[in-house]
């Protein structure tokens, strides 16, 4: 029995990385540096190369047919916005060729599962996207003016069970 949906699911998988995962770590840093999200991608890449993800912080990557399709990170705090919430899901990016496959959602839920495993019940993120994270169950709890002039919405996800 041929199951094309099953093949798609197997072709796409999410991995959690630390600096010890040298090869993939370098591949993701390279991908981020050259992705279409220019300023933020370069910032994320530099953080990876400077080994700035510490302790329980992790990078999550989506691989589709063993190529990087997207990434995000779970961090203690924002290094660009002064907000008191922890942990934060940040740097959520999916390459244009891979969009429309719920990869961002899969990345976020991998980060949420990990955060729950290490004892967090509430997870936060900020974004300018409207009606994107709400579909995943995030609740908007506020707004903050970003240094680059945009208003970022702050979202909360409460892990239950």
């Amino acid at each position: 029995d041929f199951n094309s949906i099953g093949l798609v699911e197997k072709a796409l998988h999410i991995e959690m990385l630390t600096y010890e995962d040298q090869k993939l770590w370098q591949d993701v840093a390279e991908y981020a540096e050259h992705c279409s999200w220019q300023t933020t991608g370069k910032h994320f890449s530099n953080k990876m190369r400077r080994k700035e993800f510490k302790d329980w912080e992790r990078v999550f990557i989506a691989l589709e047919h063993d190529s990087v399709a997207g990434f995000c990170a779970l961090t203690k705090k924002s290094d660009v916005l002064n907000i008191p919430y922890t942990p934060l899901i940040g740097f959520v990016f999916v390459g244009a060729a891979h969009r429309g496959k719920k990869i961002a959602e899969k990345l976020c839920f991998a980060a949420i599962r990990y955060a729950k495993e290490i004892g967090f019940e509430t997870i936060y993120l900020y974004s300018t996207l409207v009606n994107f994270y709400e579909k995943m169950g995030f609740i908007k709890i506020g707004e903050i003016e970003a240094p680059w002039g945009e208003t970022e919405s702050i979202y909360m996800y409460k892990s239950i069970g």
Side-chain angles (χ1 to χ4, degrees):
D1 183 16
F2 183 74
N3 180 348
S4 61
I5 293 173
L7 290 175
V8 169
E9 285 299 317
K10 289 177 185 162
L12 173 72
H13 64 282
I14 308 296
E15 291 197 23
M16 179 173 67
L17 301 182
T18 64
Y19 182 71
E20 285 70 40
D21 303 301
Q22 267 296 297
K23 172 73 172 98
L24 269 177
W25 190 268
Q26 295 305 323
D27 289 350
V28 174
E30 184 74 15
Y31 176 84
E33 181 180 0
H34 299 288
C35 77
S36 60
W37 200 18
Q38 295 173 347
T39 304
T40 305
K42 284 180 178 40
H43 179 67
F44 182 74
S45 176
N46 288 335
K47 283 180 70 68
M48 291 185 75
R49 290 191 168 121
R50 291 190 306 254
K51 303 178 195 170
E52 291 182 13
F53 295 97
K54 307 279 188 196
D55 302 321
W56 52 261
E57 296 179 315
R58 296 290 184 273
V59 170
F60 295 83
I61 63 167
L63 293 169
E64 189 165 37
H65 301 291
D66 296 324
S67 295
V68 178
F71 54 82
C72 77
L74 184 73
T75 61
K76 289 180 185 176
K77 63 184 184 74
S78 170
D79 57 351
V80 292
L81 293 180
N82 186 20
I83 55 176
Y85 306 110
T86 192
L88 281 173
I89 295 174
F91 302 104
V92 181
F93 176 81
V94 175
H98 305 278
R99 293 183 186 150
K101 302 174 187 176
K102 297 191 181 280
I103 294 173
E105 182 175 320
K106 290 176 174 115
L107 285 163
C108 286
F109 280 111
I112 289 167
R113 276 191 302 279
Y114 169 66
K116 187 176 176 184
E117 285 172 16
I118 60 172
F120 293 102
E121 291 182 13
T122 307
I123 298 92
Y124 302 89
L125 64 78
Y126 60 89
S127 176
T128 57
L129 296 178
V130 177
N131 295 323
F132 185 75
Y133 293 103
E134 292 92 334
K135 292 176 189 173
M136 295 181 212
F138 282 86
I139 299 165
K140 183 175 174 178
I141 60 169
E143 292 182 343
I144 188 167
E145 191 69 28
W148 48 89
E150 290 185 289
T151 299
E152 297 276 344
S153 294
I154 302 168
Y155 296 95
M156 173 187 83
Y157 184 91
K158 188 84 167 158
S159 184
I160 299 170

